[in-house]
Amino acid sequence: MKRILTIQDISCFGKCSLTVALPLFSAMGIEAVILPTAVLSTHTMFKGFTCKDLSDQLKPITDHWKNEGITFDAICTGYLGTEEEIDTVIDIIENFRNKDTLVFVDPAMGDNGKLYPAFNEHYAKKNASLCAVADIIDPNITEASFMMDIPYKEFYNEDYVKELLLELSKFGTKTPILTGVSLSNGKTGAMGYDSNTETFFSYQNDKIPASYHGTGDIFSSVLAGAFALGIDRTEALKIAADYTALTIAETEKNPDKPWYGVDFEATIPELIEALRKIKGKNNGV
Ligand code: PXL
């Protein structure tokens, strides 16, 4: 069984970061090891959230793992807290990676042209150093533009997306993937760039005209999990995008329409089924 380390906060209420990554990795048949960077009462879109920083625990926890000889097939990161914490996370990655470890970074820090309340532009730039040590990164357009000081565009064309990807690849990441990319009216998905082969790849599906918090973390967890399982990149984009879209559609049926997080639990059977089909195909069944 593949083992993945996921480094991000626990928002006790709100369905994001570790409270979605852990169940999704488990559903995907991956052993999930968690390194919580902070405990928050809710995610930061709620007013009055509490936050206990756990930065001083990261080194003792990971030192213990090292002594126990614990290793990871993949390491992924999501929402972090401070610039110092980014440095600690880079050290942890360097300490645990070997030539086969997949390092996946989601520089989660903003959306819709704005940074989340806890962050500023300096923090955004610091994320570039974390992206530099990753094999795969999956910022959205907001995060990419803040990291690189390229103006954010709400309306754009494919050339803009390609320009962002080429600039992201200059960080040193082999495979940057931009999420929330719409390449035509009524569609959304993701586009990536493989710097080894200098080729772009993308996947688009129908855009559901609804917006919920936490969908970026859901997309990112499934994408990281798919890569950790060795699924090829276009299939990985498809499984993550289709699952996210299905989850939004399912949430739309909920009369409460919980803005703070989607009903991803309801669609886990379809995720498992999609993975089963890929496995069947790869085995030639
Ligand atoms: O990536 C979403 C996220 C994760 N964790 C916390 C957040 C957010 C988005 O607002 O506030 C604490």
Side-chain angles (χ1 to χ4, degrees), residues 6-25 34 36-38 40 42-44 77-80 106 108 213-218 220-221 264:
T6 168
I7 310 175
Q8 47 189 326
D9 73 278
I10 293 190
S11 293
C12 299
F13 183 89
K15 300 207 236 188
C16 65
S17 43
L18 282 184
T19 63
V20 305
L22 179 55
L24 286 173
F25 289 143
I34 61 166
T37 52
L40 293 88
T42 64
H43 59 58
T44 61
T77 72
Y79 186 105
L80 300 172
D106 177 6
H213 199 67
T215 50
D217 289 359
I218 283 164
S220 197
S221 298
F264 73 97

PDB file of all heavy atoms in Angstrom, residues 6-25 34 36-38 40 42-44 77-80 106 108 213-218 220-221 264:
ATOM      1  N   THR A   6       0.753  13.945   4.629  1.00  0.00           N
ATOM      2  CA  THR A   6       0.095  15.209   4.276  1.00  0.00           C
ATOM      3  C   THR A   6       0.326  16.232   5.385  1.00  0.00           C
ATOM      4  O   THR A   6       0.035  15.976   6.551  1.00  0.00           O
ATOM      5  CB  THR A   6      -1.402  15.014   3.917  1.00  0.00           C
ATOM      6  OG1 THR A   6      -2.027  16.305   3.862  1.00  0.00           O
ATOM      7  CG2 THR A   6      -2.162  14.142   4.889  1.00  0.00           C
ATOM      8  N   ILE A   7       0.877  17.371   4.992  1.00  0.00           N
ATOM      9  CA  ILE A   7       1.251  18.416   5.956  1.00  0.00           C
ATOM     10  C   ILE A   7       0.345  19.633   5.735  1.00  0.00           C
ATOM     11  O   ILE A   7       0.439  20.302   4.700  1.00  0.00           O
ATOM     12  CB  ILE A   7       2.729  18.847   5.771  1.00  0.00           C
ATOM     13  CG1 ILE A   7       3.655  17.625   5.725  1.00  0.00           C
ATOM     14  CG2 ILE A   7       3.153  19.819   6.867  1.00  0.00           C
ATOM     15  CD1 ILE A   7       5.128  17.962   5.421  1.00  0.00           C
ATOM     16  N   GLN A   8      -0.557  19.880   6.645  1.00  0.00           N
ATOM     17  CA  GLN A   8      -1.427  21.068   6.585  1.00  0.00           C
ATOM     18  C   GLN A   8      -2.178  21.211   7.905  1.00  0.00           C
ATOM     19  O   GLN A   8      -1.979  20.412   8.812  1.00  0.00           O
ATOM     20  CB  GLN A   8      -2.370  21.015   5.386  1.00  0.00           C
ATOM     21  CG  GLN A   8      -3.101  19.697   5.169  1.00  0.00           C
ATOM     22  CD  GLN A   8      -3.846  19.647   3.835  1.00  0.00           C
ATOM     23  OE1 GLN A   8      -4.348  20.661   3.381  1.00  0.00           O
ATOM     24  NE2 GLN A   8      -3.942  18.495   3.219  1.00  0.00           N
ATOM     25  N   ASP A   9      -3.027  22.220   8.006  1.00  0.00           N
ATOM     26  CA  ASP A   9      -3.726  22.471   9.275  1.00  0.00           C
ATOM     27  C   ASP A   9      -4.904  21.512   9.474  1.00  0.00           C
ATOM     28  O   ASP A   9      -5.357  20.865   8.536  1.00  0.00           O
ATOM     29  CB  ASP A   9      -4.268  23.912   9.290  1.00  0.00           C
ATOM     30  CG  ASP A   9      -5.457  24.066   8.358  1.00  0.00           C
ATOM     31  OD1 ASP A   9      -5.235  24.231   7.145  1.00  0.00           O
ATOM     32  OD2 ASP A   9      -6.615  23.963   8.819  1.00  0.00           O
ATOM     33  N   ILE A  10      -5.395  21.486  10.715  1.00  0.00           N
ATOM     34  CA  ILE A  10      -6.714  20.891  10.985  1.00  0.00           C
ATOM     35  C   ILE A  10      -7.662  22.038  11.289  1.00  0.00           C
ATOM     36  O   ILE A  10      -7.457  22.762  12.272  1.00  0.00           O
ATOM     37  CB  ILE A  10      -6.719  19.962  12.222  1.00  0.00           C
ATOM     38  CG1 ILE A  10      -5.871  18.730  11.975  1.00  0.00           C
ATOM     39  CG2 ILE A  10      -8.148  19.528  12.552  1.00  0.00           C
ATOM     40  CD1 ILE A  10      -6.011  17.665  13.034  1.00  0.00           C
ATOM     41  N   SER A  11      -8.647  22.228  10.430  1.00  0.00           N
ATOM     42  CA  SER A  11      -9.745  23.140  10.754  1.00  0.00           C
ATOM     43  C   SER A  11     -10.850  22.242  11.286  1.00  0.00           C
ATOM     44  O   SER A  11     -11.436  21.464  10.524  1.00  0.00           O
ATOM     45  CB  SER A  11     -10.210  23.893   9.506  1.00  0.00           C
ATOM     46  OG  SER A  11      -9.186  24.763   9.071  1.00  0.00           O
ATOM     47  N   CYS A  12     -11.116  22.335  12.589  1.00  0.00           N
ATOM     48  CA  CYS A  12     -11.999  21.343  13.237  1.00  0.00           C
ATOM     49  C   CYS A  12     -13.366  21.293  12.558  1.00  0.00           C
ATOM     50  O   CYS A  12     -13.915  20.232  12.326  1.00  0.00           O
ATOM     51  CB  CYS A  12     -12.180  21.681  14.716  1.00  0.00           C
ATOM     52  SG  CYS A  12     -10.643  21.662  15.626  1.00  0.00           S
ATOM     53  N   PHE A  13     -13.903  22.457  12.246  1.00  0.00           N
ATOM     54  CA  PHE A  13     -15.173  22.528  11.522  1.00  0.00           C
ATOM     55  C   PHE A  13     -14.911  23.237  10.199  1.00  0.00           C
ATOM     56  O   PHE A  13     -14.213  24.255  10.171  1.00  0.00           O
ATOM     57  CB  PHE A  13     -16.203  23.324  12.348  1.00  0.00           C
ATOM     58  CG  PHE A  13     -17.556  23.393  11.704  1.00  0.00           C
ATOM     59  CD1 PHE A  13     -18.509  22.416  11.948  1.00  0.00           C
ATOM     60  CD2 PHE A  13     -17.879  24.419  10.824  1.00  0.00           C
ATOM     61  CE1 PHE A  13     -19.753  22.456  11.341  1.00  0.00           C
ATOM     62  CE2 PHE A  13     -19.122  24.470  10.211  1.00  0.00           C
ATOM     63  CZ  PHE A  13     -20.063  23.482  10.478  1.00  0.00           C
ATOM     64  N   GLY A  14     -15.452  22.716   9.113  1.00  0.00           N
ATOM     65  CA  GLY A  14     -15.313  23.463   7.858  1.00  0.00           C
ATOM     66  C   GLY A  14     -14.923  22.651   6.640  1.00  0.00           C
ATOM     67  O   GLY A  14     -14.879  23.187   5.541  1.00  0.00           O
ATOM     68  N   LYS A  15     -14.622  21.374   6.799  1.00  0.00           N
ATOM     69  CA  LYS A  15     -14.350  20.506   5.659  1.00  0.00           C
ATOM     70  C   LYS A  15     -13.314  21.088   4.695  1.00  0.00           C
ATOM     71  O   LYS A  15     -13.629  21.506   3.573  1.00  0.00           O
ATOM     72  CB  LYS A  15     -15.641  20.206   4.894  1.00  0.00           C
ATOM     73  CG  LYS A  15     -16.705  19.518   5.731  1.00  0.00           C
ATOM     74  CD  LYS A  15     -17.619  18.678   4.863  1.00  0.00           C
ATOM     75  CE  LYS A  15     -19.064  19.032   4.995  1.00  0.00           C
ATOM     76  NZ  LYS A  15     -19.925  18.087   4.282  1.00  0.00           N
ATOM     77  N   CYS A  16     -12.083  21.166   5.157  1.00  0.00           N
ATOM     78  CA  CYS A  16     -10.980  21.533   4.268  1.00  0.00           C
ATOM     79  C   CYS A  16      -9.710  20.915   4.836  1.00  0.00           C
ATOM     80  O   CYS A  16      -9.762  20.206   5.844  1.00  0.00           O
ATOM     81  CB  CYS A  16     -10.848  23.051   4.130  1.00  0.00           C
ATOM     82  SG  CYS A  16     -10.399  23.865   5.657  1.00  0.00           S
ATOM     83  N   SER A  17      -8.615  21.172   4.207  1.00  0.00           N
ATOM     84  CA  SER A  17      -7.283  20.682   4.605  1.00  0.00           C
ATOM     85  C   SER A  17      -7.335  19.238   5.140  1.00  0.00           C
ATOM     86  O   SER A  17      -7.840  18.359   4.454  1.00  0.00           O
ATOM     87  CB  SER A  17      -6.596  21.667   5.560  1.00  0.00           C
ATOM     88  OG  SER A  17      -7.474  22.153   6.536  1.00  0.00           O
ATOM     89  N   LEU A  18      -6.844  18.978   6.350  1.00  0.00           N
ATOM     90  CA  LEU A  18      -6.712  17.577   6.778  1.00  0.00           C
ATOM     91  C   LEU A  18      -8.035  16.837   6.915  1.00  0.00           C
ATOM     92  O   LEU A  18      -8.073  15.622   6.728  1.00  0.00           O
ATOM     93  CB  LEU A  18      -5.971  17.493   8.127  1.00  0.00           C
ATOM     94  CG  LEU A  18      -4.456  17.665   8.051  1.00  0.00           C
ATOM     95  CD1 LEU A  18      -3.835  17.471   9.434  1.00  0.00           C
ATOM     96  CD2 LEU A  18      -3.820  16.683   7.070  1.00  0.00           C
ATOM     97  N   THR A  19      -9.126  17.557   7.221  1.00  0.00           N
ATOM     98  CA  THR A  19     -10.390  16.819   7.394  1.00  0.00           C
ATOM     99  C   THR A  19     -10.988  16.363   6.058  1.00  0.00           C
ATOM    100  O   THR A  19     -11.937  15.594   6.047  1.00  0.00           O
ATOM    101  CB  THR A  19     -11.446  17.611   8.214  1.00  0.00           C
ATOM    102  OG1 THR A  19     -11.780  18.793   7.511  1.00  0.00           O
ATOM    103  CG2 THR A  19     -10.949  17.928   9.615  1.00  0.00           C
ATOM    104  N   VAL A  20     -10.433  16.825   4.940  1.00  0.00           N
ATOM    105  CA  VAL A  20     -10.820  16.197   3.668  1.00  0.00           C
ATOM    106  C   VAL A  20      -9.695  15.297   3.143  1.00  0.00           C
ATOM    107  O   VAL A  20      -9.960  14.224   2.593  1.00  0.00           O
ATOM    108  CB  VAL A  20     -11.296  17.193   2.570  1.00  0.00           C
ATOM    109  CG1 VAL A  20     -12.416  18.053   3.058  1.00  0.00           C
ATOM    110  CG2 VAL A  20     -10.185  18.020   2.017  1.00  0.00           C
ATOM    111  N   ALA A  21      -8.446  15.706   3.340  1.00  0.00           N
ATOM    112  CA  ALA A  21      -7.334  14.901   2.793  1.00  0.00           C
ATOM    113  C   ALA A  21      -7.323  13.502   3.392  1.00  0.00           C
ATOM    114  O   ALA A  21      -7.190  12.506   2.667  1.00  0.00           O
ATOM    115  CB  ALA A  21      -6.000  15.606   3.055  1.00  0.00           C
ATOM    116  N   LEU A  22      -7.481  13.417   4.713  1.00  0.00           N
ATOM    117  CA  LEU A  22      -7.395  12.109   5.380  1.00  0.00           C
ATOM    118  C   LEU A  22      -8.477  11.135   4.895  1.00  0.00           C
ATOM    119  O   LEU A  22      -8.143  10.028   4.449  1.00  0.00           O
ATOM    120  CB  LEU A  22      -7.431  12.323   6.898  1.00  0.00           C
ATOM    121  CG  LEU A  22      -7.367  11.095   7.789  1.00  0.00           C
ATOM    122  CD1 LEU A  22      -6.154  10.244   7.485  1.00  0.00           C
ATOM    123  CD2 LEU A  22      -7.330  11.520   9.261  1.00  0.00           C
ATOM    124  N   PRO A  23      -9.771  11.505   4.916  1.00  0.00           N
ATOM    125  CA  PRO A  23     -10.762  10.543   4.409  1.00  0.00           C
ATOM    126  C   PRO A  23     -10.603  10.228   2.925  1.00  0.00           C
ATOM    127  O   PRO A  23     -10.849   9.095   2.506  1.00  0.00           O
ATOM    128  CB  PRO A  23     -12.117  11.223   4.685  1.00  0.00           C
ATOM    129  CG  PRO A  23     -11.809  12.641   4.966  1.00  0.00           C
ATOM    130  CD  PRO A  23     -10.406  12.703   5.472  1.00  0.00           C
ATOM    131  N   LEU A  24     -10.182  11.218   2.135  1.00  0.00           N
ATOM    132  CA  LEU A  24     -10.066  10.936   0.696  1.00  0.00           C
ATOM    133  C   LEU A  24      -8.906   9.984   0.407  1.00  0.00           C
ATOM    134  O   LEU A  24      -9.040   9.053  -0.389  1.00  0.00           O
ATOM    135  CB  LEU A  24      -9.933  12.243  -0.101  1.00  0.00           C
ATOM    136  CG  LEU A  24     -11.237  13.036  -0.204  1.00  0.00           C
ATOM    137  CD1 LEU A  24     -11.016  14.396  -0.853  1.00  0.00           C
ATOM    138  CD2 LEU A  24     -12.298  12.260  -1.001  1.00  0.00           C
ATOM    139  N   PHE A  25      -7.765  10.195   1.065  1.00  0.00           N
ATOM    140  CA  PHE A  25      -6.647   9.258   0.847  1.00  0.00           C
ATOM    141  C   PHE A  25      -7.046   7.853   1.289  1.00  0.00           C
ATOM    142  O   PHE A  25      -6.759   6.870   0.613  1.00  0.00           O
ATOM    143  CB  PHE A  25      -5.383   9.709   1.591  1.00  0.00           C
ATOM    144  CG  PHE A  25      -4.733  10.942   1.001  1.00  0.00           C
ATOM    145  CD1 PHE A  25      -4.149  11.911   1.809  1.00  0.00           C
ATOM    146  CD2 PHE A  25      -4.692  11.128  -0.375  1.00  0.00           C
ATOM    147  CE1 PHE A  25      -3.550  13.038   1.270  1.00  0.00           C
ATOM    148  CE2 PHE A  25      -4.091  12.263  -0.931  1.00  0.00           C
ATOM    149  CZ  PHE A  25      -3.521  13.208  -0.108  1.00  0.00           C
ATOM    150  N   ILE A  34      -0.583  12.024   8.911  1.00  0.00           N
ATOM    151  CA  ILE A  34      -0.864  13.461   8.956  1.00  0.00           C
ATOM    152  C   ILE A  34       0.158  14.197   9.821  1.00  0.00           C
ATOM    153  O   ILE A  34       0.618  13.680  10.838  1.00  0.00           O
ATOM    154  CB  ILE A  34      -2.292  13.754   9.478  1.00  0.00           C
ATOM    155  CG1 ILE A  34      -2.501  13.229  10.905  1.00  0.00           C
ATOM    156  CG2 ILE A  34      -3.332  13.153   8.531  1.00  0.00           C
ATOM    157  CD1 ILE A  34      -3.748  13.782  11.573  1.00  0.00           C
ATOM    158  N   PRO A  36      -0.186  17.772  11.405  1.00  0.00           N
ATOM    159  CA  PRO A  36      -0.987  19.004  11.531  1.00  0.00           C
ATOM    160  C   PRO A  36      -0.102  20.197  11.909  1.00  0.00           C
ATOM    161  O   PRO A  36       0.676  20.111  12.849  1.00  0.00           O
ATOM    162  CB  PRO A  36      -1.971  18.692  12.666  1.00  0.00           C
ATOM    163  CG  PRO A  36      -1.725  17.274  13.076  1.00  0.00           C
ATOM    164  CD  PRO A  36      -0.386  16.879  12.550  1.00  0.00           C
ATOM    165  N   THR A  37      -0.220  21.266  11.157  1.00  0.00           N
ATOM    166  CA  THR A  37       0.625  22.441  11.389  1.00  0.00           C
ATOM    167  C   THR A  37      -0.032  23.423  12.358  1.00  0.00           C
ATOM    168  O   THR A  37       0.636  24.286  12.911  1.00  0.00           O
ATOM    169  CB  THR A  37       0.878  23.157  10.058  1.00  0.00           C
ATOM    170  OG1 THR A  37      -0.402  23.392   9.444  1.00  0.00           O
ATOM    171  CG2 THR A  37       1.711  22.299   9.134  1.00  0.00           C
ATOM    172  N   ALA A  38      -1.347  23.315  12.524  1.00  0.00           N
ATOM    173  CA  ALA A  38      -2.086  24.205  13.422  1.00  0.00           C
ATOM    174  C   ALA A  38      -3.470  23.600  13.646  1.00  0.00           C
ATOM    175  O   ALA A  38      -3.933  22.811  12.815  1.00  0.00           O
ATOM    176  CB  ALA A  38      -2.232  25.598  12.791  1.00  0.00           C
ATOM    177  N   LEU A  40      -7.317  24.866  14.151  1.00  0.00           N
ATOM    178  CA  LEU A  40      -8.222  26.025  14.128  1.00  0.00           C
ATOM    179  C   LEU A  40      -9.635  25.555  14.484  1.00  0.00           C
ATOM    180  O   LEU A  40     -10.009  24.423  14.194  1.00  0.00           O
ATOM    181  CB  LEU A  40      -8.263  26.657  12.734  1.00  0.00           C
ATOM    182  CG  LEU A  40      -6.993  27.336  12.229  1.00  0.00           C
ATOM    183  CD1 LEU A  40      -6.091  26.339  11.510  1.00  0.00           C
ATOM    184  CD2 LEU A  40      -7.334  28.468  11.268  1.00  0.00           C
ATOM    185  N   THR A  42     -12.322  26.675  13.159  1.00  0.00           N
ATOM    186  CA  THR A  42     -12.967  26.588  11.838  1.00  0.00           C
ATOM    187  C   THR A  42     -11.928  27.049  10.827  1.00  0.00           C
ATOM    188  O   THR A  42     -10.878  27.557  11.225  1.00  0.00           O
ATOM    189  CB  THR A  42     -14.145  27.579  11.716  1.00  0.00           C
ATOM    190  OG1 THR A  42     -13.606  28.918  11.815  1.00  0.00           O
ATOM    191  CG2 THR A  42     -15.212  27.363  12.774  1.00  0.00           C
ATOM    192  N   HIS A  43     -12.219  26.931   9.537  1.00  0.00           N
ATOM    193  CA  HIS A  43     -11.309  27.575   8.588  1.00  0.00           C
ATOM    194  C   HIS A  43     -11.471  29.100   8.669  1.00  0.00           C
ATOM    195  O   HIS A  43     -12.375  29.602   9.365  1.00  0.00           O
ATOM    196  CB  HIS A  43     -11.434  26.999   7.170  1.00  0.00           C
ATOM    197  CG  HIS A  43     -12.785  27.099   6.534  1.00  0.00           C
ATOM    198  ND1 HIS A  43     -13.426  28.293   6.336  1.00  0.00           N
ATOM    199  CD2 HIS A  43     -13.612  26.151   6.026  1.00  0.00           C
ATOM    200  CE1 HIS A  43     -14.574  28.084   5.731  1.00  0.00           C
ATOM    201  NE2 HIS A  43     -14.719  26.775   5.542  1.00  0.00           N
ATOM    202  N   THR A  44     -10.607  29.805   7.968  1.00  0.00           N
ATOM    203  CA  THR A  44     -10.513  31.255   8.206  1.00  0.00           C
ATOM    204  C   THR A  44     -11.573  32.076   7.465  1.00  0.00           C
ATOM    205  O   THR A  44     -11.514  33.308   7.490  1.00  0.00           O
ATOM    206  CB  THR A  44      -9.097  31.761   7.844  1.00  0.00           C
ATOM    207  OG1 THR A  44      -8.867  31.498   6.448  1.00  0.00           O
ATOM    208  CG2 THR A  44      -8.040  31.074   8.664  1.00  0.00           C
ATOM    209  N   THR A  77       1.748  18.873   0.628  1.00  0.00           N
ATOM    210  CA  THR A  77       1.508  19.982   1.546  1.00  0.00           C
ATOM    211  C   THR A  77       0.321  20.797   1.049  1.00  0.00           C
ATOM    212  O   THR A  77       0.042  20.845  -0.151  1.00  0.00           O
ATOM    213  CB  THR A  77       2.740  20.917   1.671  1.00  0.00           C
ATOM    214  OG1 THR A  77       2.876  21.668   0.454  1.00  0.00           O
ATOM    215  CG2 THR A  77       4.021  20.134   1.921  1.00  0.00           C
ATOM    216  N   GLY A  78      -0.378  21.412   2.022  1.00  0.00           N
ATOM    217  CA  GLY A  78      -1.498  22.291   1.679  1.00  0.00           C
ATOM    218  C   GLY A  78      -1.348  23.590   2.448  1.00  0.00           C
ATOM    219  O   GLY A  78      -0.235  24.113   2.589  1.00  0.00           O
ATOM    220  N   TYR A  79      -2.448  24.075   2.983  1.00  0.00           N
ATOM    221  CA  TYR A  79      -2.478  25.340   3.724  1.00  0.00           C
ATOM    222  C   TYR A  79      -1.445  25.306   4.864  1.00  0.00           C
ATOM    223  O   TYR A  79      -1.496  24.422   5.706  1.00  0.00           O
ATOM    224  CB  TYR A  79      -3.883  25.526   4.288  1.00  0.00           C
ATOM    225  CG  TYR A  79      -4.173  26.842   4.984  1.00  0.00           C
ATOM    226  CD1 TYR A  79      -4.937  27.819   4.350  1.00  0.00           C
ATOM    227  CD2 TYR A  79      -3.729  27.085   6.272  1.00  0.00           C
ATOM    228  CE1 TYR A  79      -5.244  29.012   4.993  1.00  0.00           C
ATOM    229  CE2 TYR A  79      -4.023  28.280   6.922  1.00  0.00           C
ATOM    230  CZ  TYR A  79      -4.784  29.230   6.278  1.00  0.00           C
ATOM    231  OH  TYR A  79      -5.091  30.404   6.927  1.00  0.00           O
ATOM    232  N   LEU A  80      -0.525  26.259   4.870  1.00  0.00           N
ATOM    233  CA  LEU A  80       0.447  26.363   5.968  1.00  0.00           C
ATOM    234  C   LEU A  80       0.222  27.711   6.639  1.00  0.00           C
ATOM    235  O   LEU A  80      -0.685  28.448   6.269  1.00  0.00           O
ATOM    236  CB  LEU A  80       1.866  26.213   5.420  1.00  0.00           C
ATOM    237  CG  LEU A  80       2.147  24.872   4.698  1.00  0.00           C
ATOM    238  CD1 LEU A  80       3.507  24.894   4.037  1.00  0.00           C
ATOM    239  CD2 LEU A  80       2.053  23.698   5.683  1.00  0.00           C
ATOM    240  N   ASP A 106       0.547  22.039  -2.807  1.00  0.00           N
ATOM    241  CA  ASP A 106      -0.566  22.933  -3.132  1.00  0.00           C
ATOM    242  C   ASP A 106      -0.339  24.209  -2.318  1.00  0.00           C
ATOM    243  O   ASP A 106      -0.545  24.217  -1.106  1.00  0.00           O
ATOM    244  CB  ASP A 106      -1.900  22.282  -2.728  1.00  0.00           C
ATOM    245  CG  ASP A 106      -3.082  23.227  -2.984  1.00  0.00           C
ATOM    246  OD1 ASP A 106      -2.876  24.311  -3.567  1.00  0.00           O
ATOM    247  OD2 ASP A 106      -4.209  22.883  -2.582  1.00  0.00           O
ATOM    248  N   ALA A 108      -1.709  26.585  -1.002  1.00  0.00           N
ATOM    249  CA  ALA A 108      -3.060  27.072  -0.700  1.00  0.00           C
ATOM    250  C   ALA A 108      -2.997  28.386   0.076  1.00  0.00           C
ATOM    251  O   ALA A 108      -2.564  28.412   1.227  1.00  0.00           O
ATOM    252  CB  ALA A 108      -3.805  26.010   0.115  1.00  0.00           C
ATOM    253  N   HIS A 213     -16.721  26.667  -0.516  1.00  0.00           N
ATOM    254  CA  HIS A 213     -15.378  26.660   0.043  1.00  0.00           C
ATOM    255  C   HIS A 213     -14.854  25.223   0.107  1.00  0.00           C
ATOM    256  O   HIS A 213     -15.631  24.285   0.256  1.00  0.00           O
ATOM    257  CB  HIS A 213     -15.438  27.259   1.448  1.00  0.00           C
ATOM    258  CG  HIS A 213     -14.096  27.693   1.904  1.00  0.00           C
ATOM    259  ND1 HIS A 213     -13.418  28.729   1.329  1.00  0.00           N
ATOM    260  CD2 HIS A 213     -13.276  27.187   2.856  1.00  0.00           C
ATOM    261  CE1 HIS A 213     -12.251  28.861   1.915  1.00  0.00           C
ATOM    262  NE2 HIS A 213     -12.142  27.937   2.838  1.00  0.00           N
ATOM    263  N   GLY A 214     -13.536  25.059   0.002  1.00  0.00           N
ATOM    264  CA  GLY A 214     -12.923  23.738   0.221  1.00  0.00           C
ATOM    265  C   GLY A 214     -12.811  22.869  -1.009  1.00  0.00           C
ATOM    266  O   GLY A 214     -12.235  21.779  -0.948  1.00  0.00           O
ATOM    267  N   THR A 215     -13.328  23.341  -2.155  1.00  0.00           N
ATOM    268  CA  THR A 215     -13.263  22.490  -3.351  1.00  0.00           C
ATOM    269  C   THR A 215     -11.815  22.364  -3.858  1.00  0.00           C
ATOM    270  O   THR A 215     -11.440  21.339  -4.419  1.00  0.00           O
ATOM    271  CB  THR A 215     -14.158  23.040  -4.480  1.00  0.00           C
ATOM    272  OG1 THR A 215     -13.863  24.418  -4.642  1.00  0.00           O
ATOM    273  CG2 THR A 215     -15.626  22.881  -4.144  1.00  0.00           C
ATOM    274  N   GLY A 216     -11.010  23.404  -3.614  1.00  0.00           N
ATOM    275  CA  GLY A 216      -9.594  23.350  -4.023  1.00  0.00           C
ATOM    276  C   GLY A 216      -8.876  22.227  -3.283  1.00  0.00           C
ATOM    277  O   GLY A 216      -8.068  21.490  -3.865  1.00  0.00           O
ATOM    278  N   ASP A 217      -9.178  22.070  -1.998  1.00  0.00           N
ATOM    279  CA  ASP A 217      -8.510  21.029  -1.204  1.00  0.00           C
ATOM    280  C   ASP A 217      -8.966  19.641  -1.633  1.00  0.00           C
ATOM    281  O   ASP A 217      -8.189  18.678  -1.582  1.00  0.00           O
ATOM    282  CB  ASP A 217      -8.808  21.219   0.287  1.00  0.00           C
ATOM    283  CG  ASP A 217      -8.101  22.449   0.857  1.00  0.00           C
ATOM    284  OD1 ASP A 217      -7.378  23.114   0.085  1.00  0.00           O
ATOM    285  OD2 ASP A 217      -8.261  22.735   2.042  1.00  0.00           O
ATOM    286  N   ILE A 218     -10.220  19.541  -2.049  1.00  0.00           N
ATOM    287  CA  ILE A 218     -10.732  18.250  -2.504  1.00  0.00           C
ATOM    288  C   ILE A 218     -10.056  17.861  -3.825  1.00  0.00           C
ATOM    289  O   ILE A 218      -9.534  16.763  -3.980  1.00  0.00           O
ATOM    290  CB  ILE A 218     -12.268  18.318  -2.625  1.00  0.00           C
ATOM    291  CG1 ILE A 218     -12.836  18.213  -1.210  1.00  0.00           C
ATOM    292  CG2 ILE A 218     -12.836  17.236  -3.530  1.00  0.00           C
ATOM    293  CD1 ILE A 218     -14.242  18.621  -1.054  1.00  0.00           C
ATOM    294  N   SER A 220      -7.242  18.917  -4.932  1.00  0.00           N
ATOM    295  CA  SER A 220      -5.822  18.705  -4.678  1.00  0.00           C
ATOM    296  C   SER A 220      -5.533  17.350  -4.015  1.00  0.00           C
ATOM    297  O   SER A 220      -4.568  16.665  -4.386  1.00  0.00           O
ATOM    298  CB  SER A 220      -5.400  19.836  -3.749  1.00  0.00           C
ATOM    299  OG  SER A 220      -4.072  19.975  -3.723  1.00  0.00           O
ATOM    300  N   SER A 221      -6.385  16.957  -3.058  1.00  0.00           N
ATOM    301  CA  SER A 221      -6.169  15.670  -2.384  1.00  0.00           C
ATOM    302  C   SER A 221      -6.308  14.529  -3.378  1.00  0.00           C
ATOM    303  O   SER A 221      -5.480  13.608  -3.405  1.00  0.00           O
ATOM    304  CB  SER A 221      -7.202  15.467  -1.257  1.00  0.00           C
ATOM    305  OG  SER A 221      -7.062  16.454  -0.287  1.00  0.00           O
ATOM    306  N   PHE A 264     -18.612  16.151   0.180  1.00  0.00           N
ATOM    307  CA  PHE A 264     -17.747  15.191  -0.524  1.00  0.00           C
ATOM    308  C   PHE A 264     -17.951  13.762  -0.022  1.00  0.00           C
ATOM    309  O   PHE A 264     -17.661  12.794  -0.724  1.00  0.00           O
ATOM    310  CB  PHE A 264     -16.271  15.590  -0.389  1.00  0.00           C
ATOM    311  CG  PHE A 264     -15.694  15.341   0.976  1.00  0.00           C
ATOM    312  CD1 PHE A 264     -14.974  14.180   1.233  1.00  0.00           C
ATOM    313  CD2 PHE A 264     -15.883  16.235   2.005  1.00  0.00           C
ATOM    314  CE1 PHE A 264     -14.449  13.926   2.493  1.00  0.00           C
ATOM    315  CE2 PHE A 264     -15.365  15.993   3.276  1.00  0.00           C
ATOM    316  CZ  PHE A 264     -14.654  14.836   3.521  1.00  0.00           C
TER     317      PHE A 264
END
